Amino acid sequence: AANANAASKPNKMILANTHLFYHPMADHIRAMQAYVVCKKIDEVRRQDGSDPYPLVFCGDLNSDPLSGAVQLLFTRTVLPHHDTWKHLHDYRWEMGDSSWMLEHGFVGNEGVTEEDPIYVEETFKEAHEDEESLADDSFAEPFHPPPIVLPASFPNLVSGCPDMPEFTNFAVDFVETLDYVLASETSEHERYGFRPKKAAPMPNADEISRYVAMPNEFMPSDHVSVVCDLEWTTNETSPGADESN
């Protein structure tokens, strides 16, 4: 819903869409991907040197609402002790092979047990033949990742859905919210932004369960479309702002 006053709207906006990495043990990779995407968006929306463009950021983030990637977008920070780092030392690229995913319960069966999955590489002694390096105390402590923090120049983001969907992906052995529509808010640094108005109704689990999962004869995708209405807003205190919605 656009305001009729042209001064209350920017000349341009950023619409960014992404699809983050899929592997269930790679939450830390998705958090880092989300940071890189935000950094690039911020570069583009400031390239004219005027008021930064407001943005809508959407896509399949392959991340639930409590994941590192989504928490970064909503709270601006992922701390070193966040659960997103739990597979930092275990995950390897080859774990994405279909055969590995099937063997360890990520696809094609009821899921992962507490014993799954730990990928075992060469032992430390095999990887380091230098006995002096084995005695080095620097190897005694595990690596602790630094916090990931969005810069102050990046706007606060708000969900386009007033209520977080129960799920956006419904498979036989996996049900979760993975898809999002986010929009920037106004602030003392952001003259333009958005306000969420309403969202299209989402199906509930009972409705999907009748057809086992998605896709099905009525829903052609395994993801639910996230549809929402946003309203332009203008910060009243920003220099040159004529009025606010």
Side-chain angles (χ1 to χ4, degrees):
N3 188 286
N5 189 338
S8 68
K9 295 180 292 184
N11 294 325
K12 298 179 182 179
M13 61 165 285
I14 299 293
L15 175 60
N17 180 274
T18 190
H19 190 176
L20 299 186
F21 191 55
Y22 73 97
H23 199 284
M25 289 179 67
D27 196 27
H28 56 293
I29 292 178
R30 288 184 287 276
M32 291 184 282
Q33 285 181 316
Y35 177 84
V36 172
V37 170
C38 290
K39 185 174 184 297
K40 185 61 180 179
I41 291 173
D42 209 36
E43 291 176 4
V44 173
R45 73 192 200 95
R46 294 176 179 277
Q47 62 186 2
D48 285 352
S50 57
D51 291 318
Y53 309 144
L55 69 100
V56 174
F57 182 13
C58 53
D60 177 358
L61 305 187
N62 273 315
S63 304
D64 66 67
L66 298 180
S67 66
V70 177
Q71 287 298 297
L72 176 68
L73 297 174
F74 278 119
T75 71
R76 312 181 63 85
T77 303
V78 179
L79 296 175
H81 60 266
H82 191 279
D83 200 46
T84 195
W85 303 108
K86 66 181 179 181
H87 292 304
L88 177 64
H89 302 291
D90 302 325
Y91 177 73
R92 299 293 183 273
W93 181 255
E94 54 266 34
M95 291 180 176
D97 293 342
S98 297
S99 58
W100 195 96
M101 297 279 282
L102 283 166
E103 179 183 351
H104 291 81
F106 285 109
V107 294
N109 51 48
E110 295 183 355
V112 184
T113 66
E114 292 184 358
E115 291 76 23
D116 256 342
I118 294 295
Y119 178 82
V120 180
E121 263 194 323
E122 298 176 290
T123 64
F124 186 78
K125 184 176 294 185
E126 291 173 339
H128 296 270
E129 297 180 354
D130 183 355
E131 293 185 0
E132 291 185 9
S133 71
L134 292 174
D136 190 340
D137 289 339
S138 64
F139 290 102
E141 294 294 330
F143 170 73
H144 295 289
I148 303 178
V149 182
L150 292 177
S153 62
F154 194 79
N156 292 326
L157 299 179
V158 61
S159 173
C161 297
D163 299 312
M164 187 66 67
E166 179 185 356
F167 61 86
T168 64
N169 177 249
F170 199 110
V172 173
D173 52 4
F174 181 81
V175 179
E176 191 55 87
T177 297
L178 304 177
D179 306 88
Y180 304 84
V181 175
L182 310 175
S184 60
E185 295 183 304
T186 59
S187 70
E188 61 178 316
H189 305 296
E190 301 288 331
R191 178 179 178 185
Y192 301 111
F194 297 94
R195 179 188 300 120
K197 294 287 289 182
K198 58 183 178 179
M202 303 290 283
N204 59 50
D206 290 338
E207 292 172 328
I208 303 300
S209 297
R210 298 174 192 172
Y211 308 98
V212 181
M214 297 165 50
N216 55 56
E217 59 184 297
F218 296 104
M219 306 189 75
S221 173
D222 59 340
H223 288 255
V224 182
S225 295
V226 180
V227 181
C228 57
D229 289 342
L230 302 169
E231 182 180 47
W232 291 116
T233 59
T234 303
N235 183 2
E236 296 177 343
T237 61
S238 293
D242 294 331
E243 65 174 308
S244 173
N245 286 344

